[in-house]
Amino acid sequence: MFYQDVHIVADKMNRCASKRIPFLFAFNFELSEALFIERPQEQTEVLFSTTLGGNGYENANPKSVDDIHFECETFESYERRFNIVKAALHRGDSFLVNLTSRTPVTLDLSLKEIFECTSALYKLYVPGRLVCFSPERFIKIQEDGTISTDPMKGTIDASLPNAEKTILNDRKESAEHATVVDLLRNDISMNATNVHVSRYRYLTLIKGQKKSILQVSSEIKGQLSKDWRSKVGNIFLDMLPAGSVSGAPKNSTVATIRKAEVKERGFYTGVFGYFDGRELDSGVLIRYIEQWSDGRFFFRSGGGITAMSDVRSEYEEVKQKIYLPIVEPKFSEVICVRDGVLQHVSYHEQRMKRTTQHIFASDIVLPDLAKMIPKDAEKGKYKCRIVYGKDIESVEFSPYEAKIRQSVAIATDDNIDYTYKSTNRDALRNLVAKSGADDVIIIRNGKVTDASYCNLVFENDKGELFTPKDALLKGTCRQRLIDKGIVKECEIRREDIFSYRFVYFINAMMDLDECQKIEVKQIIVNV
């Protein structure tokens, strides 16, 4: 999995991409170590999440997280290292240097739990070594060879008055950003044509549990040759280390970094990525916590230094970036509306209250939904979708169209959890995507649970109806049928499936007498 020779990993990337075999990879900052996993979704040791997919997802029921406790290096220590960088800038060795710090942190979470409770575009967890929750793309390569990057340079506390105007008008930040854009444009040009800046200095809001920040990014695009897959590993090595977390010009700047930081960065400010068989996306390994062999945690953070930089401001930015981007979990409730009448509201209200009491230790009150039903929903079947956290966030009504499954497969995931009806359904969608079928019957620890968005009811030769006791989500329709004595709960193991004749797919929108029902012999088992 880990290799000291990064060229071995580059060759593996070339081989697998040419054959359209998915893979996960990472390079450390010094290019002295790399990670490579072929078909990474088939293992659960190293977890990752990218815009193209992954094998690890945000926990829909995360542990509560207190603020991070940390003791940053002293201002005097940082100033000494800052002055080494400033001297190099004044000599003309560099125009921009990314200076970073290693900060001891105390948390009540493991690295894996941090991975599960944080929200970011690019996440990576390596047991016993690191967790990363990065907002910054390195490069993305689309199937047609379009290559793009979105360097981030410029950070400000989003709660400050006129934060957007302040960061965009800051001369130092503007100059730093322009330098990185120019550097990344040149890096892409080593392998691409028609390189251009498609968006310049746009703002992204990154939310955290305790605070939110604004970051400034730009988008640069180019076009690779048609055979890009056969040399994708070499393309990465040409562009590393990443310009946004090193500086310009690269060679002399990296020498300055070594002098100012002394210790190697390792995988911090390296890059990692995922090739899904068609496209590749990668992130910069920032927003990063590493674990040492003695069990201590260190948060790594930094910022770009230019000749105009103020040491106190840069020191404060290093501290500002020590945070966990934990977003309050969101849940949804779907209520059926028939000819303008809401169905079984009390069951839905009870489930919503159980959710908010458990997750937020608070209660929730439904608005008067009957008064919100649009005129169009007075005839036919409509779906009322409520999104909520501690409070109701939105209520939407839309016509309902039932999905017809052409194929159903068996899928196994012993770690899946959907106790509460989270808006985050990534783990469920991933099981369906990997199966190649329209829907899946999910097996957890050998027991039948649910389909991807329905509870299940099995019918035996006597016409008796049973629903899995181990359902992932206790659906409202399922509970009504149990309460009425129409359906009984029982443990159904994987090997029991084919002792039944039929399986029904029920939910709040599709009751037992109207849902899709298939013969169990139609279920695909070779998945």
Side-chain angles (χ1 to χ4, degrees), residues 440-505:
V440 290
I441 290 176
I442 302 167
I443 309 297
R444 182 176 64 183
N445 299 320
K447 300 173 185 178
V448 177
T449 61
D450 291 333
S452 66
Y453 63 95
C454 289
N455 288 132
L456 301 172
V457 173
F458 289 86
E459 181 181 342
N460 65 17
D461 289 334
K462 298 178 182 178
E464 297 171 319
L465 300 173
F466 300 90
T467 188
K469 182 179 179 181
D470 300 280
L472 297 177
L473 179 72
K474 309 299 185 184
T476 58
C477 179
R478 173 185 181 275
Q479 190 60 50
R480 280 192 299 103
L481 294 173
I482 293 172
D483 291 347
K484 291 181 177 181
I486 297 171
V487 170
K488 294 180 181 179
E489 273 191 312
C490 74
E491 181 181 286
I492 302 176
R493 303 191 66 83
R494 176 181 177 136
E495 58 267 25
D496 299 331
I497 291 175
F498 294 95
S499 66
Y500 294 93
R501 290 185 61 205
F502 300 103
V503 58
Y504 299 74
F505 297 82

Side-chain angles (χ1 to χ4, degrees), residues 263-479:
K263 295 182 180 179
E264 292 187 347
R265 294 182 180 180
F267 279 97
Y268 172 56
T269 67
V271 302
F272 87 98
Y274 172 57
F275 176 71
D276 68 355
R278 299 183 303 109
E279 301 181 330
L280 183 148
D281 198 11
S282 60
V284 183
L285 287 163
I286 58 173
R287 309 298 190 269
Y288 177 103
I289 298 175
E290 64 190 18
Q291 183 176 355
W292 285 14
S293 57
D294 60 7
R296 287 185 295 165
F297 290 160
F298 291 85
F299 199 113
R300 308 295 295 268
S301 59
I305 311 299
T306 71
M308 291 185 284
S309 293
D310 170 73
V311 62
R312 178 63 68 175
S313 296
E314 297 300 336
Y315 178 68
E316 292 302 320
E317 182 176 332
V318 166
K319 292 194 292 183
Q320 186 181 71
K321 289 178 178 175
I322 301 175
Y323 73 104
L324 295 180
I326 298 169
V327 179
E328 180 182 287
K330 298 291 186 293
F331 304 91
S332 68
E333 195 69 23
V334 173
I335 303 176
C336 182
V337 181
R338 291 180 189 272
D339 296 327
V341 179
L342 292 153
Q343 305 293 302
H344 314 296
V345 176
S346 62
Y347 278 90
H348 295 281
E349 190 170 21
Q350 288 170 18
R351 181 164 66 180
M352 291 174 68
K353 286 183 176 180
R354 283 197 300 270
T355 299
T356 55
Q357 287 167 358
H358 181 83
I359 302 297
F360 307 112
S362 64
D363 220 331
I364 194 165
V365 178
L366 277 178
D368 190 343
L369 297 173
K371 292 182 179 179
M372 303 171 69
I373 297 173
K375 195 163 186 64
D376 290 348
E378 292 179 359
K379 289 186 178 181
K381 185 188 286 190
Y382 268 67
K383 176 169 65 175
C384 171
R385 184 173 189 263
I386 304 167
V387 174
Y388 66 100
K390 289 182 180 178
D391 301 299
I392 302 294
E393 297 205 354
S394 65
V395 178
E396 296 178 352
F397 293 84
S398 59
Y400 180 71
E401 292 184 15
K403 175 182 176 181
I404 303 300
R405 300 162 185 80
Q406 301 299 327
S407 56
V408 176
I410 291 176
T412 299
D413 187 336
D414 291 342
N415 299 308
I416 196 164
D417 182 12
Y418 200 64
T419 305
Y420 300 96
K421 194 173 172 59
S422 170
T423 56
N424 180 359
R425 295 175 48 82
D426 288 348
L428 297 167
R429 292 191 190 100
N430 186 51
L431 285 176
V432 177
K434 286 197 296 184
S435 75
D438 292 336
D439 203 352
V440 290
I441 290 176
I442 302 167
I443 309 297
R444 182 176 64 183
N445 299 320
K447 300 173 185 178
V448 177
T449 61
D450 291 333
S452 66
Y453 63 95
C454 289
N455 288 132
L456 301 172
V457 173
F458 289 86
E459 181 181 342
N460 65 17
D461 289 334
K462 298 178 182 178
E464 297 171 319
L465 300 173
F466 300 90
T467 188
K469 182 179 179 181
D470 300 280
L472 297 177
L473 179 72
K474 309 299 185 184
T476 58
C477 179
R478 173 185 181 275
Q479 190 60 50

Side-chain angles (χ1 to χ4, degrees), residues 57-156:
Y57 303 94
E58 296 164 30
N59 191 340
N61 182 25
K63 292 179 65 174
S64 60
V65 182
D66 294 326
D67 204 3
I68 301 175
H69 302 287
F70 67 91
E71 190 172 328
C72 198
E73 71 172 308
T74 64
F75 175 74
E76 292 72 23
S77 171
Y78 180 83
E79 187 176 35
R80 283 194 296 272
R81 300 192 302 112
F82 177 89
N83 288 336
I84 292 172
V85 171
K86 258 306 186 62
L89 291 166
H90 288 312
R91 286 195 305 269
D93 296 346
S94 300
F95 307 112
L96 168 69
V97 179
N98 189 267
L99 180 64
T100 72
S101 294
R102 179 192 287 114
T103 303
V105 294
T106 303
L107 293 164
D108 293 329
L109 302 175
S110 67
L111 292 182
K112 185 177 182 182
E113 287 170 334
I114 293 169
F115 177 93
E116 291 174 341
C117 74
T118 50
S119 178
L121 287 177
Y122 303 94
K123 300 202 300 180
L124 179 66
Y125 159 70
V126 180
R129 292 197 63 171
L130 65 92
V131 65
C132 175
F133 33 90
S134 174
E136 183 172 354
R137 170 172 287 154
F138 179 49
I139 61 171
K140 181 175 183 179
I141 306 177
Q142 297 176 20
E143 193 166 17
D144 65 357
T146 299
I147 182 172
S148 61
T149 186
D150 303 77
M152 281 184 167
K153 274 297 166 195
T155 304
I156 191 170

